[in-house]
């Protein structure tokens, strides 16, 4: 049966950082809704043009568009054993749509690690984040700096700062998270799937906690 893990947490909690580290260990592809939108922006697709305004304002892209995009992604061959979801679902409507999609694929969400980090730490993390142009590898100028400033350690591509990491937009994104996404904490807690992880620890400690807490996955 395909298995799906949903990474939950506010913007800057470290979802993308952890997903990139643990997806290989778990043998599950990393499916990030934010990365797919950014890829579409870069390739100047119709979807990218539609998403841009919402992303620049720090708002969510409408549910119907996002759900269709993730449905398409999860239907691909590399997701036939499941996926590690990062940034989706983000509203109760998306969570219900995901349950429906996974039922069609004979799979289910098996665990929902919720990485919690206080707001003041999030603002610092996003203000200092640098992302690689080619593959989206993530760095922080103080907490996780690249070996050479401005260059990705892994693929040598240039690093850039995201447009939506400006302080005002970050505050808006945190507000949107509290309003629209945080109800999912209870949604998954009631299903007994929520695993709370303290995201204020160092990156490698968070990884260890996550891997220890996740159920064993047979691939
Ligand atoms: P998205 O890209 O998903 O952004 P996000 O959820 O706001 O998450 P981030 O990528 O900002 O943070 P993260 O938790 O991955 O942190 P990271 O690991 O990078 O979404 C962007 C936009 O797309 C949305 O605003 C929306 O418009 C749209 N969108 C996406 N999904 C959608 C959906 N489902 N529905 C509708 N719209 C959607 O880490 C952050 C920084 O901290 C890095 O610098 C990192 O090096 C550092 N760091 C990480 N962990 C630690 C640690 N333990 N200690 C110290 N530093 C750390």
């Amino acid at each position: 049966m395909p298995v799906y893990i949903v990474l939950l947490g506010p913007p800057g909690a470290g979802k993308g950082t952890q997903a990139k580290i643990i997806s290989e260990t778990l043998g599950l592809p990393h499916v990030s809704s934010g990365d797919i939108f950014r890829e579409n922006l870069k390739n100047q697709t119709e979807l990218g043009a539609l998403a841009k305004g919402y992303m620049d304002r720090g708002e969510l892209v409408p549910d119907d568009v996002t759900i269709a995009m993730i449905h398409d992604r999860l239907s691909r061959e590399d997701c036939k054993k499941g996926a590690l979801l990062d940034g989706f679902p983000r509203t109760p409507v998306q969570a219900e749509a995901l349950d429906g999609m996974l039922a069609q694929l004979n799979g289910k969400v098996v665990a929902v690690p919720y990485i919690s980090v206080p707001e003041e730490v999030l603002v610092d993390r996003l203000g200092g984040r640098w992302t690689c142009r080619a593959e989206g590898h993530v760095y922080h100028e103080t907490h996780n700096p690249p070996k050479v400033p401005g260059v990705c350690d892994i693929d040598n591509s240039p690093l850039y700062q995201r447009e939506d990491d400006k302080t005002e937009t970050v505050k808006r994104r945190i507000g949107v998270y509290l309003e629209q996404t945080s109800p999912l904490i209870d949604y998954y807690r009631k299903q007994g799937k929520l695993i709370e992880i303290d995201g204020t620890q160092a990156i490698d400690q968070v990884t260890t906690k996550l891997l220890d807490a996740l159920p064993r996955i047979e691939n």
Side-chain angles (χ1 to χ4, degrees):
M1 181 186 75
V3 294
Y4 301 84
I5 293 170
V6 170
L7 280 181
L8 204 58
K15 303 180 298 295
T17 299
Q18 295 300 331
K20 283 197 164 49
I21 301 170
I22 67 172
S23 68
E24 207 171 312
T25 314
L26 299 174
L28 293 175
H30 172 201
V31 172
S32 155
S33 45
D35 284 353
I36 304 176
F37 283 131
R38 280 184 290 280
E39 192 61 25
N40 276 276
L41 274 177
K42 192 165 89 180
N43 296 333
Q44 300 184 330
T45 67
E46 213 173 298
L47 176 62
L50 189 152
K52 186 177 180 341
Y54 296 99
M55 294 174 81
D56 286 350
R57 290 191 297 274
E59 293 168 8
L60 296 184
V61 179
D63 282 335
D64 55 343
V65 175
T66 308
I67 290 165
M69 176 181 89
I70 293 295
H71 184 265
D72 172 65
R73 180 67 189 88
L74 293 182
S75 308
R76 299 206 195 146
E77 184 62 20
D78 66 323
C79 290
K80 72 173 193 297
K81 289 181 178 167
L84 177 59
L85 288 157
D86 160 16
F88 183 93
R90 223 143 152 148
T91 64
V93 170
Q94 291 182 15
E96 280 164 25
L98 178 65
D99 291 342
M101 265 180 235
L102 301 191
Q104 275 178 13
L105 296 165
N106 293 319
K108 63 174 183 179
V109 173
V110 293
V112 182
Y114 160 48
I115 307 179
S116 68
V117 174
E119 187 168 336
E120 60 282 8
V121 178
L122 300 174
V123 175
D124 164 71
R125 284 195 187 172
L126 296 177
R129 170 164 62 183
W130 289 81
T131 305
C132 125
R133 282 252 177 246
E135 295 286 336
H137 300 115
V138 179
Y139 299 86
H140 188 280
E141 54 198 27
T142 329
H143 311 305
N144 181 26
K147 292 192 184 92
V148 178
V151 181
C152 178
D153 292 351
I154 300 163
D155 54 32
N156 282 326
S157 77
L159 303 180
Y160 75 102
Q161 289 200 286
R162 271 169 51 176
E163 203 48 41
D164 60 348
D165 280 349
K166 293 186 179 127
T167 310
E168 278 321 300
T169 318
V170 165
K171 289 192 175 152
R172 176 85 189 112
R173 285 164 59 201
I174 294 171
V176 166
Y177 165 81
L178 292 172
E179 222 174 88
Q180 301 188 51
T181 308
S182 65
L184 298 187
I185 298 169
D186 260 356
Y187 181 83
Y188 287 116
R189 186 182 279 127
K190 282 186 187 139
Q191 296 181 15
K193 294 175 179 168
L194 199 79
I195 302 169
E196 295 197 43
I197 304 281
D198 174 6
T200 61
Q201 305 166 87
I203 293 173
D204 56 346
Q205 288 174 301
V206 176
T207 307
T208 306
K209 288 268 160 62
L210 260 173
L211 290 174
D212 284 350
L214 284 171
R216 230 181 108 79
I217 293 169
E218 309 289 344
N219 274 315

